[in-house]
Amino acid sequence: MTEQNRVAIVTGAARGIGAATAIRLAADGFAVAVIDLEEAAGKDTVEKITAAGGRAIAVGADVSNGEQVAAAVERVVAELGAPVVLVNNAGVLRDNLLFKMSESDWDTVMNVHLKGAFLMSKACQKHMVDAGYGRIVNLSSSSALGNRGQANYSAAKAGLQGFTKTLSKELGKFGITANAVAPGFIATDMTAATAERVGMGFEEFKAAAATMIPVNRVGVPDDIAHTVSFLVSEGAGFVSGQVIYVAGGPLD
Ligand SMILES: NC(=O)c1ccc[n+]([C@@H]2O[C@H](COP(=O)([O-])OP(=O)(O)OC[C@H]3O[C@@H](n4cnc5c(N)ncnc54)[C@H](O)[C@@H]3O)[C@@H](O)[C@H]2O)c1
């Protein structure tokens, strides 16, 4: 990797884990493309990066739409340069018990997490192959191990682990690593929405979750950003096809 092609793409980077990761990678020296559904939504992350002296652009794209993904990656190449880092972080929840889960709840979650990671990785890999260097990180979840009310999400997050391992095998010879980070409970809008759905205040919800976590606290977006920062570093080139659970302790 040369100084010129230190370009990273983070999807779903308008807020939460994606925003923290984009800000961290910018601090690590990457020019960062902040991709989210609406370009305007990414402005806040971009402003934080530029205020700290970094380089970033906001790009609007739905990662589950092939044409939008192709256009977004082309724009990144034109405005920042060819990406050597891709963090597939965009995600949504459509939780429900199986008997109440609609076909569209299933499809939406599969499309954003799984198809989105596939489309983004496919669009970026050719630039990484050309560079003979690349780092792909996919956001899985502790829910990959199974979680009540998340048949769709747990299947998608387990699927991302298989996808990651396959990418690591196909792309390793081009100097590209692929790894997954599987967070436990991280305090973001996503977990705040879950608290609301189950009728609990967010503070009470976080406190209850913390009692189940060995380090006695819930996670924060920077906990994940730090792990991603390691995985995309040059020195992590022998770490590939791995799933790192970042959950404050081991999981059953
Ligand atoms: N928060 C947690 O506890 C937790 C735990 C495990 C895994 N994760 C995973 O980490 C990732 C980030 O989670 P978060 O908590 O920051 O979520 P969040 O809801 O706060 O942020 C997700 C971002 O993704 C964007 N997004 C959604 N659909 C998109 C699409 N089709 N195209 C582009 N952008 C899209 C949203 O607009 C939003 O900005 C997700 O993949 C999530 O499943 C989160």
Side-chain angles (χ1 to χ4, degrees):
M1 185 170 49
T2 64
E3 276 306 310
Q4 287 73 44
N5 68 359
R6 285 175 68 83
V7 174
I9 293 179
V10 184
T11 69
R15 66 183 198 205
I17 293 169
T21 301
I23 291 164
R24 173 59 190 264
L25 297 190
D28 290 345
F30 288 95
V32 181
V34 171
I35 294 189
D36 213 290
L37 281 170
E38 301 294 333
E39 182 173 330
K43 295 277 186 221
D44 188 46
T45 307
V46 168
E47 274 165 25
K48 285 184 180 138
I49 290 172
T50 47
R55 233 175 116 215
I57 57 167
V59 180
D62 176 347
V63 296
S64 66
N65 178 309
E67 283 172 20
Q68 292 185 32
V69 164
V73 174
E74 273 174 37
R75 211 186 125 195
V76 174
V77 173
E79 293 185 26
L80 292 180
V84 288
V85 168
L86 169 65
V87 183
N88 285 309
N89 165 83
V92 289
L93 294 180
R94 293 291 184 272
D95 293 356
N96 231 325
L97 293 173
L98 181 63
F99 78 104
K100 288 195 263 186
M101 188 174 284
S102 70
E103 195 174 336
S104 93
D105 289 340
W106 178 269
D107 288 344
T108 299
V109 168
M110 290 301 151
N111 284 341
V112 176
H113 295 269
L114 272 182
K115 189 177 171 192
F118 158 69
L119 291 171
M120 286 298 307
S121 301
K122 193 172 172 193
C124 290
Q125 61 81 29
K126 57 177 177 287
H127 300 292
M128 299 181 186
V129 169
D130 286 348
Y133 181 90
R135 301 277 184 263
I136 297 172
V137 177
N138 297 314
L139 267 290
S140 179
S141 168
S142 55
S143 295
L145 302 169
N147 198 23
R148 190 178 159 80
Q150 293 193 316
N152 50 2
Y153 185 77
S154 62
K157 292 307 200 186
L160 277 170
Q161 297 189 8
F163 177 68
T164 301
K165 290 174 191 185
T166 297
L167 293 192
S168 75
K169 291 188 177 189
E170 290 189 11
L171 300 174
K173 64 174 176 253
F174 303 107
I176 301 166
T177 66
N179 291 285
V181 176
F185 188 118
I186 309 297
T188 67
D189 289 349
M190 186 179 270
T191 36
T194 302
E196 201 177 325
R197 195 178 62 80
V198 300
M200 278 172 91
F202 194 32
E203 292 309 315
E204 184 195 356
F205 191 60
K206 285 189 286 188
T211 64
M212 314 289 289
I213 300 172
V215 299
N216 204 32
R217 67 167 176 90
V218 298
V220 293
D222 281 342
D223 290 317
I224 305 307
H226 192 71
T227 310
V228 175
S229 169
F230 161 70
L231 288 170
V232 307
S233 66
E234 285 193 72
F238 206 53
V239 182
S240 196
Q242 300 305 302
V243 179
I244 303 184
Y245 284 88
V246 182
L251 297 162
D252 299 332

